[in-house]
Every structure is written in structure tokens, then in C-alpha cells.
Amino acid sequence: MTRIDQIMQQDHERLDALLDISARAVREGRWQDAARHLEQFRHGIADGHMVVEETTLFPAFEAREGGTEHPLTALLRKGHQDLRVFFQEMAEAISAEDAEEFADLLSTVQTILKQHDAKEETELYPYLAEALPDHGQAVGQEILTFAAGERA
């Protein structure tokens, strides 16, 4: 049985790799590839990973912590909102074929993701892996199914 903390950490790594592929395409001036890979990254993180967190994991954490929005989940939700804006700006930089702007945005996004992912991986996921009856395996399966659909 794979626990939710392991699944979500692996998904962070998968998404980071997609972002790296897009960044490499920008550096090489392969703008269509960059746009395609950025969209794969954005779809995977914003439409898959973040949705599972916001609709399932955060509410499960909050229910176990008293039923109201918790400071941790409030911070993580705010991070998601901010990141969505940056993803749009990165797509615009690619459309404009502006490698310098993309690089600046990429640096910011990677810094935010590193801190955001660390907070989730140390504070949220391990807690849920212990608190959920199936160690979060059912929720984790949603992420695995989504990711598999992206590769198909």
C-alpha cells in the first residue's frame, strides 16, 4: 500500500520534471515545445494536484484539526492562488518568446514551489498519512489516475 505522503511527493517530482523540460525548451528557443510542456505542467499541477489538495486533502486535515480553516491550509491555498497567476504569466512570456521574462518568472516559481512543497511534505502529508484510515491511498489513487491520463 502506497501512502498519500509518498504519492504526493512523487507527484511533486513529476511536476518539477515537466517544468524543467519546459525551461530547457525556452533556453533552446523551442517555443512550441516550451508552451506544450508548460501546459502539461500547468494542467498537472493546477487541474490535478492542487484540485485534489483543495477539495480532499485540505478539508480532511481541517476536519481533523477542528473543522475550520487552519492556518496551514490557508497559507497553502494562498500559495496555490499565487502560483496560478505566475503560471499564466509564464505562458505569456513563452507566447511573447521572451526568454528573460520567463527565466525571471521561473526563478520565482521554483523558489515558491520549493518552500510550498516542503511545507506540504513535512507538515500536511505525513499527518494525513497517519490520520486517514487507508493512509490516504484512495485519495492518492486519484492523483495516480490523473497523472496516468496525462501520459496517455
Side-chain angles (χ1 to χ4, degrees):
M1 171 172 29
T2 306
R3 296 165 33 125
I4 189 64
D5 52 340
Q6 297 163 328
I7 292 169
M8 295 303 279
Q9 184 170 349
Q10 289 169 356
D11 202 45
H12 282 162
E13 293 165 5
R14 177 185 73 85
L15 293 164
D16 289 345
L18 284 172
L19 185 57
D20 289 343
I21 291 168
S22 180
R24 184 172 47 250
V26 166
R27 287 190 304 273
E28 295 171 358
R30 295 182 292 113
W31 297 104
Q32 288 182 331
D33 288 343
R36 182 171 43 88
H37 290 297
L38 181 67
E39 178 52 25
Q40 287 176 325
F41 164 77
R42 190 219 53 82
H43 178 66
I45 195 166
D47 300 334
H49 191 95
M50 289 178 180
V51 168
V52 167
E53 289 175 341
E54 293 167 355
T55 62
T56 306
L57 297 182
F58 295 174
F61 180 85
E62 291 163 345
R64 299 203 182 290
E65 288 293 305
T68 60
E69 187 169 84
H70 188 275
L72 173 61
T73 54
L75 177 68
L76 295 173
R77 280 187 180 97
K78 173 71 168 98
H80 288 180
Q81 290 172 348
D82 294 344
L83 284 164
R84 285 180 173 105
V85 172
F86 281 114
F87 301 156
Q88 179 59 41
E89 291 175 355
M90 292 170 80
E92 291 167 5
I94 288 173
S95 291
E97 297 186 4
D98 188 340
E100 186 176 331
E101 177 68 10
F102 181 87
D104 289 345
L105 291 164
L106 177 67
S107 176
T108 300
V109 165
Q110 287 175 324
T111 299
I112 293 170
L113 282 173
K114 184 176 182 176
Q115 294 168 352
H116 184 93
D117 292 355
K119 192 161 262 320
E120 289 177 342
E121 291 172 7
T122 60
E123 296 179 42
L124 179 71
Y125 302 154
Y127 176 89
L128 289 172
E130 293 303 320
L132 295 173
D134 65 349
H135 301 286
Q137 186 175 19
V139 176
Q141 191 57 49
E142 289 180 47
I143 286 289
L144 295 173
T145 300
F146 186 88
E150 286 187 317
R151 289 189 290 268

